[in-house]
Amino acid sequence: MEDAVSRESVDSSSTGDDFVVVNADPKFKLTGDINDLDEEVGAGKFLSPKMAASAATTPEQNGMELEKVEHAIRGSQSADVLIPDASNITGPISHSENMSVMGLGSADAGLNQITANRGRSTSLPTIPGTDCTVFDGVTYLGCATVNAPRSEVEIYRNMAVLNDQSQMAIHVTLTVPSTSEGFVGLIDPASNTEIASYRIHRILFCARGPTDSSEKKCFAFTCSHGDTAETAIFQCHVFRCDLPEAVAKILYSFATTFRRVPRSTRTTAVAVLPEADQNYVFTVGIEFKEDDGKGNYSAVPKDKSVFKFRSNVEKRISICVTHTGPIELKIERCFGLLISPGRNVKHSDMQLIELNSMGYAGDGRSYTISGQWDPSEKCFLVLNEETPKDTRVFLTVAVDLVIFGIQEPVRFAVETKARIYPSNERFWYFTKKPHFEQFHVRLKQVEGNNHDGANFEVVHVESQTEMDRKSTGMSLSLSSSKHIPEPVQTPQEEEESDGDEPLLSGSGVVSKEVTDENLLDAWHDVLTKWHANLTQRPKQVTHLARKGVPEALRGEVWQLITGCHDSSELLEAYRILITKESACEPVIQRDINRTFPAHDFFKESGGLGQDSLFKISKAYAIYDEEIGYVQGLSFLAAALLLHMPEEQAFCVLVKIMFDYGLRDLFKQGFEELHLKFYQLERLMQDQLIDLYGHFADMGLEIHMFASQWFLTLFTAKFPLHVVFNILDLYLSEGKDVIFSVALALLKGSRKDLLALDFEGVLKYFRVQLPKKYRTDDAAKELMRMAVSSKVTARKLKKYEREYVQMKEHQLQQENPIERFERENKRLLEDNLRLEQENDDLAHELVESKLALRSELDALEDSHEALMKDHMTTQKMLTETEEEKRRLETESSQLKEMCRRELDRAESESQRNSAIIADYKQICSQLSERLEKQQTHSREELGRIKGQVKSCDKCSKMFTEDGKVRLPEVKANPEDSNPCVLDLRKQVRELELELAQTKLALVESECKTQDLTHQLNSAISEIQASKNTWFHKTISSIKEVTTVNKKDPKE
C-alpha cells in the first residue's frame, strides 16, 4: 500500500532545524502523468480573476517543479456505510455494485438538503499567512459511498453514473489551499457562503475523466468522513468543469498542495479550554520477521534488546500500537512507516518502506501495521553487512499515525539495536518476543470550527527510554567529556564516618581467623559426623551456630543445614532457567547496581559478581512464577554468593524461600507480612511497654521500620558480619529468629529511641542503628541478646489467633460496600495478573506447538528415511538368507565330496600299503634266496678250487694268491672268420635290442596303469564339480555369450 506521491512529498519537504514536520503530507494518490498536466497548464487560458489575484502566492508562480507521480500499490479498504457529515448529506440509491450513489431520484433530495443548508454554512477556514487557488465554472455533481477509495475502476464508474444521471447539479466555486494543512472548500458563488469543506489529509485519491469519453470535463476525489474508525466511511465526490482544460489545472493544484509542507505548524484561531492537558501512554511493539526460504516469514530472535538479523534475507516488520488515557482514541490510518540505520536520525534520513496491511486486531484495542523492506537496497547497507563480534548497530523505526480527534499526525520513533549474522546462521535459546517501547503523549484540548471533529493538539511526545536517560543523567551527546562517578567509600572509610549518610549495603570486614581453637575442633567433629549420616543433623549444630559458624565453613554448613547436599534436580533446573527470558530483567538489572555496592565483588558493573547475581535473580523469577522477582531478593542472593558458587547459591535460595516460608511474605496482599508486624507489635507490648507506648504516641507503626528486616533478613543495611551471624541463627533455628533479632535491636537501642521524635526515630533506624554494630563486640552482644530473647512458638501462635480474630471482627464491622469494593479491586488485580499469565502461557503454548510441529516434521522425515533404510535392509536380509541357504547347500555337497574323496584316498592308501608290504616281503624273500645262492656258490667254488688244487696239473691254473691263471687261447681259424664275427655281433645286438624292448614294454604297462588311475580320479572330480555354483555361473555366462553372438543387434 505504498503511496508514490507520499514518498515524493516526504523526500521533497524542506524543513528547518528548528522545526520538524511529523508526516504533514497526506497519503494521496493521483492518476495520470503530472507531465501531461504541466503541458495543459502551460496554456493558462482559463484562470478566473480570483485565481489570477492569488497567483502571486500560488505554488505554480513560485516555479515549483513537480516530479512524475507514479501509481502506488493498490489496496482495498472497506467500511460500513454510515451517515455522512451534516454538511454533505446525500441520499443513497442502490445499483449493481452495492454502493450508495447520489444521482437521480433520492439524489435530488440530497441536493435539496445541501442547498437548504447553505444559509447556515460557516465561512471557509483560512490559514494565516497562506492563500488558496480559486476555480470558477465548477459544478458539483454529487457523491457516492465507496468501499475501495483508491480504486480507479470504482471512481470512474461513479464519475460516469453521476455525470449521466445527476439532474440537480450545483454550481460552486472550488478553492484549493496552497499547503497540505488547509481545506478544500465548496463556495456558493451567489451568496459567497461555504457549502462544504474537506480537510486535505483526509483526501485519499484524485482522478480525472478519460479524455476520449463524455467525462473528459469531470474529475473526482475520495475522502474519509467520520470521527472514529467505527463511524468512518469513504465517499467519492464528483465535479464537472465548464472548460476541459480546467481539469488539468485543478489536478495540478491538488498535486502541488499535497507536495507542499509548511515550515511551521498551522496556527488556527483556537480558544484553549480551561481543562488541563491530558496525558496518554501509547505502547508500541515491534517485531521483525525474515523469509525462511519456504514461502513463510519467521520471527527474528532477540537477545535482550538486540535483534539478530541475517544478511541478504528479505524482512517484514509488524507494529502493534495500544494506548491508555482519559478517553479512548481511535487510529484512522497509518500515514507512513519509515526505517533508518542509526539513532537520533534526521527526518530526511528516514526511508519510507512498503506497507502491507493496517487495521485494528480482533480485540479492537490494538492497531497493527505491517510493512516489507529489502535489506539489499543501498540505503540499508549498514543493516545488511555482517557485524564484527561484540558489535551492535542501531536501528530507528518510525510510524506516523493519523488519529481521530488529533489535528496532526503523530510520529512514534523507536530506537533499538541489531546484530547482523551470515544468512545461514542458526540461533538457539533466544527469545522471539517483540520489542516494546512506551510513549507519553501530552494533548491539549482546543476548540475550532473544523468539521472533522479534531479537538486536540499534540503538546509533547516523549519515549520512556528518553525519560529514563534524563532521570539517570545519561546523555547521547558525542562530546568527548565523560562523567566521573563519585568515589564509593570503602568499608574502612564508612566505619570511620559517623555522618548522616546511611551505611552502604555490603559494608564491613568479615575475618576468617578463628581465635577459639576448641570451636574449630568442635565444628570439625560435627561435620565429620554429619557427612557420615547426611539424613540426620547432629544435635550440637544449634549450639555451635549460636556461637557463630567460622567464615571458612559457612558455605558448607549452610548447604548442609538447608538440605542442599543432594540437589541435582535444582542444579539441572538452574542450568536450564538461565537460558530463558524473563520480563523482570530490567527491574533485576536496576536492583543489582544497588546491591552490596560497598563490596568489591559486586562493585564493578558487568563484572563477575553482578553477572552471577543477575543469573540467580532471573532464574528464581522464572522458577517461582507466583512470586517472581521481588525487591530485596538480590541482597539475600548476594550474601549467599559470597560463600558458594552460583549454582549452590540458587539451591540454598530456593530452600530458604520455600522451606523457611520466606516467599509467603511476598504473596498477594502481604497478609503474612502484616501478621508478622502484629506479632512483633504484641511482643513489644509485652517486653518493651515503654517503647511501645512511645511509638504509639507518635503514630509510628511497625511496618515503617521493620518491613525491610522481614523481607531481606537484615541483609540490606547491616554490616556483613552481623548479616552472616543472623543467617547462621535463621538457618539453624528457623524463621522465628527474626523476632528475636528485632527485639534485640530494639532493646539495645531503647534509650536512644525514647529520646527521639517521629523523624528522628525513622532516621535512627535508617542511619545510626546499622552503624552501631560495625564492631565485632557489638555484633556478638546483639547475637547474645537475640539468643536470650524469650520468643516462643506458643506465644507467636497465640498472637496469630488474636490477629485472625481481629481481622474477622474488622470485617464484620466494615461497611459491606467498602469490603466488596476492596474485594472487587483485589479480584480485578488477580484477574489482570491471571490474564497476563494466561497470555504468557498462550504465547509459550504457541511457541511450544510450533517447536513441536517442527520437531514432528523432522521426526516424520527421519521416520520416512528410516523406513526406506529398513526396506532396503530387509531386502538385503532376504537376499543374504537366500545366499546363506545356497552356501549351506554347497557346503553340504562339498563336505560330501570331501568325505567320498577321503574314503577313496583311505582305500587307495590301504591298497598301496598292502602292495608295499607285499613288495617288501618279496624283496626280503629274494634277498634270502640271493644270500643262500651266494653262500652256496662260494662253498661250491671253494670245493672246486680244492679239487683243482689237489690235481698237479690243474693246480698250475691258480696263482699263489688264488687267482685263476688262464692259458693263452689259441686262435681258432673259424673265430677269425669275418662272417662269423659279424653274425655273432648281430646276434648280440639283437639280444640287446630285445632286452631293451621288453624293458620298454614293462615301463609302458606301468605308465598305462597310472594314467588309467588318474583318468578315473579326474572323471570323478569333474562329475562332482558339475553341481557347484561356480560351474553353474560359468555355464550361464557361456549361454549368455552364445546368445549375444547369435543376435548382436539385440
Side-chain angles (χ1 to χ4, degrees):
M1 297 175 63
E2 179 186 355
D3 198 333
V5 176
S6 296
R7 179 190 289 272
E8 293 180 2
S9 61
V10 169
D11 296 338
S12 63
S13 301
S14 177
T15 60
D17 296 335
D18 56 339
F19 179 78
V20 178
V21 177
V22 181
N23 210 354
D25 46 327
K27 192 167 188 179
F28 172 71
K29 181 179 177 183
L30 178 69
T31 60
D33 194 340
I34 201 69
N35 296 326
D36 298 337
L37 298 179
D38 291 336
E39 296 176 359
E40 297 184 35
V41 171
K45 298 178 181 179
F46 50 86
L47 290 175
S48 66
K50 294 182 179 180
M51 185 183 73
S54 63
T57 58
T58 56
E60 307 84 43
Q61 299 297 328
N62 290 333
M64 178 181 289
E65 295 183 0
L66 285 167
E67 300 176 2
K68 182 178 179 181
V69 182
E70 301 175 354
H71 289 285
I73 300 175
R74 292 179 173 82
S76 177
Q77 300 182 17
S78 62
D80 297 333
V81 178
L82 301 175
I83 301 174
D85 204 350
S87 61
N88 296 314
I89 300 177
T90 60
I93 65 171
S94 299
H95 70 76
S96 60
E97 298 300 329
N98 294 327
M99 65 177 180
S100 300
V101 181
M102 178 188 288
L104 294 175
S106 60
D108 299 337
L111 292 174
N112 291 332
Q113 292 176 1
I114 293 178
T115 306
N117 289 333
R118 291 180 185 178
R120 59 176 183 268
S121 299
T122 59
S123 61
L124 180 68
T126 60
I127 304 173
T130 59
D131 292 312
C132 59
T133 306
V134 182
F135 296 93
D136 290 330
V138 179
T139 303
Y140 180 73
L141 301 180
C143 68
T145 302
V146 295
N147 291 328
R150 292 183 175 85
S151 173
E152 295 183 21
V153 177
E154 192 163 356
I155 198 171
Y156 286 152
R157 181 168 59 248
N158 296 331
M159 191 184 299
V161 172
L162 292 177
N163 187 36
D164 293 339
Q165 299 180 3
S166 180
Q167 299 177 0
M168 295 292 293
I170 304 175
H171 294 284
V172 297
T173 298
L174 179 69
T175 62
V176 181
S178 59
T179 65
S180 60
E181 292 290 343
F183 296 80
V184 175
L186 305 183
I187 302 177
D188 185 5
S191 60
N192 200 25
T193 57
E194 179 190 353
I195 300 175
S197 64
Y198 310 97
R199 193 173 180 86
I200 282 294
H201 80 263
R202 290 180 177 270
I203 297 177
L204 306 177
F205 190 89
C206 190
R208 62 182 296 181
T211 56
D212 55 350
S213 64
S214 59
E215 290 81 33
K216 62 183 179 180
K217 297 181 180 181
C218 300
F219 71 93
F221 62 79
T222 57
C223 184
S224 63
H225 298 269
D227 295 334
T228 63
E230 290 78 8
T231 61
I233 61 173
F234 301 101
Q235 289 183 340
C236 174
H237 299 271
V238 182
F239 301 84
R240 184 172 60 212
C241 300
D242 295 342
L243 297 176
E245 295 83 1
V247 177
K249 182 62 180 178
I250 293 173
L251 294 184
Y252 186 87
S253 297
F254 269 105
T256 305
T257 298
F258 275 87
R259 289 174 56 84
R260 297 199 65 190
V261 180
R263 185 171 295 274
S264 60
T265 58
R266 183 174 60 87
T267 57
T268 58
V270 297
V272 180
L273 298 181
E275 287 83 356
D277 295 344
Q278 297 183 4
N279 295 321
Y280 293 82
V281 178
F282 286 79
T283 302
V284 180
I286 296 180
E287 182 181 21
F288 291 96
K289 297 183 178 181
E290 291 183 337
D291 188 1
D292 58 2
K294 300 179 182 179
N296 300 321
Y297 285 82
S298 58
V300 172
K302 180 165 65 74
D303 184 8
K304 295 184 179 178
S305 60
V306 181
F307 286 96
K308 295 180 173 291
F309 291 157
R310 296 181 177 90
S311 60
N312 300 318
V313 178
E314 189 172 356
K315 297 175 176 60
R316 284 184 179 178
I317 179 173
S318 297
I319 297 180
C320 177
V321 182
T322 58
H323 84 282
T324 57
I327 63 175
E328 184 178 4
L329 299 177
K330 287 294 184 180
I331 300 174
E332 180 181 353
R333 68 177 184 272
C334 174
F335 206 52
L337 185 59
L338 305 97
I339 293 181
S340 175
R343 59 177 177 174
N344 295 336
V345 296
K346 298 181 180 179
H347 175 72
S348 58
D349 296 333
M350 301 294 291
Q351 302 295 328
L352 190 67
I353 66 173
E354 176 184 339
L355 285 173
N356 290 337
S357 63
M358 67 179 75
Y360 276 96
D363 55 3
R365 296 182 299 177
S366 57
Y367 192 86
T368 58
I369 308 107
S370 65
Q372 189 167 348
W373 56 294
D374 186 2
S376 61
E377 296 181 7
K378 186 177 180 180
C379 56
F380 300 122
L381 182 62
V382 177
L383 301 176
N384 197 39
E385 293 181 344
E386 296 181 18
T387 55
K389 186 178 180 181
D390 299 332
T391 303
R392 310 289 186 270
V393 295
F394 281 93
L395 171 68
T396 301
V397 179
V399 57
D400 297 330
L401 300 177
V402 177
I403 303 175
F404 289 100
I406 301 179
Q407 295 179 349
E408 301 169 357
V410 182
R411 166 168 292 184
F412 299 113
V414 181
E415 295 180 356
T416 183
K417 290 179 286 187
R419 183 177 177 186
I420 293 83
Y421 293 83
S423 57
N424 58 351
E425 186 73 18
R426 296 176 65 90
F427 305 110
W428 304 97
Y429 304 112
F430 289 107
T431 181
K432 295 185 178 181
K433 294 182 180 180
H435 173 74
F436 291 97
E437 180 69 273
Q438 285 188 342
F439 292 87
H440 299 267
V441 181
R442 185 186 305 167
L443 301 179
K444 181 173 65 176
Q445 191 170 3
V446 297
E447 188 178 61
N449 55 358
N450 46 343
H451 298 283
D452 57 359
N455 55 359
F456 288 100
E457 66 178 12
V458 179
V459 178
H460 183 67
V461 178
E462 189 174 19
S463 66
Q464 184 65 40
T465 302
E466 294 174 350
M467 297 175 65
D468 294 340
R469 288 173 184 167
K470 292 180 180 179
S471 63
T472 56
M474 295 176 64
S475 175
L476 295 178
S477 62
L478 300 179
S479 61
S480 60
S481 61
K482 296 183 179 179
H483 173 70
I484 302 176
E486 297 181 357
V488 181
Q489 285 185 322
T490 61
Q492 291 78 5
E493 292 173 345
E494 289 181 356
E495 290 177 3
E496 298 174 359
S497 174
D498 290 326
D500 293 338
E501 292 298 325
L503 193 67
L504 291 177
S505 64
S507 302
V509 178
V510 182
S511 177
K512 294 185 179 181
E513 296 182 0
V514 180
T515 58
D516 188 358
E517 295 182 359
N518 295 329
L519 179 64
L520 192 60
D521 294 337
W523 274 110
H524 175 72
D525 297 338
V526 167
L527 291 177
T528 303
K529 182 179 179 180
W530 204 344
H531 282 293
N533 185 10
L534 294 173
T535 60
Q536 185 177 2
R537 185 168 71 175
K539 298 179 180 180
Q540 299 87 343
V541 172
T542 302
H543 175 70
L544 293 176
R546 291 182 176 182
K547 296 182 180 181
V549 181
E551 179 64 17
L553 301 177
R554 267 203 177 96
E556 181 182 1
V557 172
W558 286 358
Q559 293 183 54
L560 290 173
I561 292 177
T562 55
C564 294
H565 55 275
D566 186 14
S567 56
S568 57
E569 295 182 359
L570 283 176
L571 292 176
E572 185 63 27
Y574 176 76
R575 296 186 183 97
I576 298 175
L577 292 173
I578 59 176
T579 62
K580 297 183 179 180
E581 296 289 337
S582 174
C584 306
E585 291 184 12
V587 182
I588 296 173
Q589 191 65 46
R590 181 191 63 195
D591 288 348
I592 284 176
N593 296 324
R594 302 181 296 189
T595 303
F596 285 9
H599 199 283
D600 294 336
F601 187 62
F602 301 100
K603 186 181 299 183
E604 183 180 357
S605 178
L608 178 61
Q610 291 196 7
D611 183 62
S612 299
L613 188 57
F614 175 81
K615 291 180 181 179
I616 292 178
S617 302
K618 183 185 74 170
Y620 184 82
I622 302 174
Y623 180 82
D624 190 357
E625 296 180 355
E626 182 182 2
I627 302 300
Y629 175 76
V630 290
Q631 288 185 343
L633 183 68
S634 59
F635 293 98
L636 179 57
L640 298 175
L641 273 175
L642 293 176
H643 296 90
M644 61 193 75
E646 60 182 74
E647 293 86 355
Q648 284 76 16
F650 173 77
C651 298
V652 175
L653 178 64
V654 171
K655 294 290 185 179
I656 292 175
M657 295 295 289
F658 282 86
D659 296 349
Y660 287 79
L662 185 60
R663 66 186 299 273
D664 296 335
L665 303 180
F666 299 95
K667 286 187 176 180
Q668 194 71 18
F670 297 95
E671 290 294 334
E672 188 71 18
L673 182 61
H674 289 293
L675 172 61
K676 301 298 181 185
F677 292 156
Y678 177 80
Q679 290 173 330
L680 180 58
E681 183 180 5
R682 292 287 287 113
L683 287 172
M684 288 181 60
Q685 188 176 0
D686 291 344
Q687 302 183 25
L688 297 169
I689 185 63
D690 51 352
L691 190 59
Y692 171 78
H694 181 59
F695 285 177
D697 294 339
M698 293 187 301
L700 184 68
E701 298 179 359
I702 300 297
H703 68 85
M704 295 180 181
F705 61 87
S707 59
Q708 197 175 66
W709 295 353
F710 286 97
L711 296 178
T712 66
L713 300 182
F714 303 94
T715 58
K717 294 297 182 183
F718 288 87
L720 289 180
H721 57 274
V722 178
V723 170
F724 297 157
N725 287 329
I726 294 175
L727 287 178
D728 292 340
L729 289 178
Y730 180 82
L731 296 177
S732 175
E733 301 185 19
K735 57 185 178 180
D736 294 341
V737 168
I738 301 178
F739 296 105
S740 301
V741 176
L743 288 176
L745 289 172
L746 294 172
K747 290 178 181 178
S749 306
R750 173 175 164 273
K751 294 182 180 180
D752 297 332
L753 293 173
L754 289 173
L756 297 173
D757 58 0
F758 183 87
E759 296 294 337
V761 170
L762 292 180
K763 184 178 180 181
Y764 184 88
F765 280 119
R766 183 171 57 90
V767 180
Q768 279 81 18
L769 183 61
K771 292 182 178 180
K772 185 178 179 180
Y773 298 98
R774 288 178 294 185
T775 62
D776 291 337
D777 295 336
K780 291 179 181 179
E781 180 63 22
L782 175 64
M783 293 297 103
R784 187 191 63 76
M785 294 176 61
V787 171
S788 61
S789 297
K790 297 179 180 179
V791 179
T792 61
R794 179 182 299 178
K795 186 178 294 186
L796 293 176
K797 195 66 177 177
K798 173 186 174 182
Y799 296 155
E800 182 178 357
R801 290 194 297 269
E802 292 178 2
Y803 178 77
V804 173
Q805 294 174 1
M806 181 185 68
K807 296 296 289 185
E808 292 177 354
H809 183 67
Q810 290 177 356
L811 290 176
Q812 292 176 0
Q813 293 182 350
E814 186 181 9
N815 188 353
I817 297 177
E818 295 180 357
R819 184 172 72 253
F820 291 150
E821 288 179 352
R822 187 178 68 254
E823 186 68 19
N824 184 40
K825 182 179 179 181
R826 185 182 63 81
L827 292 175
L828 287 176
E829 293 176 354
D830 292 342
N831 185 38
L832 291 176
R833 179 177 56 82
L834 292 174
E835 285 182 354
Q836 181 65 31
E837 293 178 358
N838 183 46
D839 293 340
D840 295 340
L841 291 175
H843 183 72
E844 293 180 0
L845 178 61
V846 172
E847 290 183 347
S848 301
K849 286 185 177 180
L850 293 176
L852 290 175
R853 181 69 261 179
S854 177
E855 293 179 0
L856 182 60
D857 293 340
L859 291 175
E860 288 179 352
D861 295 340
S862 177
H863 176 263
E864 184 177 355
L866 291 176
M867 286 299 297
K868 291 181 179 179
D869 294 342
H870 175 68
M871 295 298 294
T872 305
T873 307
Q874 192 173 11
K875 183 178 179 181
M876 293 176 60
L877 179 61
T878 304
E879 294 177 354
T880 305
E881 289 178 349
E882 294 178 356
E883 182 71 14
K884 178 184 177 183
R885 289 193 295 269
R886 183 176 58 78
L887 292 176
E888 288 178 350
T889 304
E890 293 180 359
S891 176
S892 60
Q893 294 177 357
L894 182 61
K895 289 180 179 179
E896 182 65 23
M897 183 182 68
C898 291
R899 187 184 59 78
R900 291 196 303 268
E901 289 295 325
L902 183 60
D903 295 342
R904 184 181 61 78
E906 289 179 354
S907 60
E908 185 72 20
S909 176
Q910 292 177 357
R911 186 176 63 83
N912 291 335
S913 298
I915 293 173
I916 291 171
D918 294 342
Y919 177 76
K920 288 181 178 180
Q921 185 178 3
I922 293 172
C923 289
S924 62
Q925 293 178 357
L926 292 176
S927 297
E928 292 177 357
R929 289 179 61 187
L930 178 60
E931 290 177 358
K932 290 179 179 181
Q933 289 179 0
Q934 288 179 352
T935 304
H936 179 71
S937 297
R938 284 194 297 270
E939 293 177 355
E940 186 67 23
L941 180 60
R943 187 181 60 79
I944 293 175
K945 283 183 178 182
Q947 290 179 2
V948 172
K949 287 181 179 181
S950 60
C951 181
D952 296 334
K953 293 180 180 180
C954 296
S955 59
K956 295 179 181 179
M957 297 177 60
F958 294 95
T959 61
E960 293 178 359
D961 54 0
K963 294 182 178 180
V964 180
R965 183 185 300 168
L966 297 176
E968 295 181 0
V969 180
K970 296 181 179 180
N972 191 359
E974 295 181 359
D975 294 334
S976 59
N977 189 359
C979 294
V980 174
L981 293 174
D982 292 338
L983 290 174
R984 288 180 178 176
K985 186 178 181 179
Q986 290 179 1
V987 170
R988 282 195 301 271
E989 289 177 356
L990 289 175
E991 289 178 352
L992 180 60
E993 185 178 357
L994 178 61
Q996 291 177 352
T997 302
K998 288 182 178 180
L999 180 60
L1001 179 60
V1002 173
E1003 290 179 354
S1004 62
E1005 287 180 355
C1006 293
K1007 289 182 179 180
T1008 300
Q1009 291 179 357
D1010 293 337
L1011 291 175
T1012 302
H1013 177 70
Q1014 292 177 4
L1015 179 61
N1016 293 332
S1017 301
I1019 290 173
S1020 300
E1021 291 178 358
I1022 290 172
Q1023 187 65 29
S1025 65
K1026 286 184 179 181
N1027 297 326
T1028 61
W1029 60 272
F1030 181 76
H1031 182 269
K1032 293 179 181 178
T1033 304
I1034 295 299
S1035 301
S1036 61
I1037 293 173
K1038 289 181 178 179
E1039 291 177 0
V1040 173
T1041 305
T1042 305
V1043 173
N1044 292 335
K1045 288 182 179 181
K1046 290 181 180 180
D1047 193 358
K1049 293 183 180 182
E1050 295 179 358

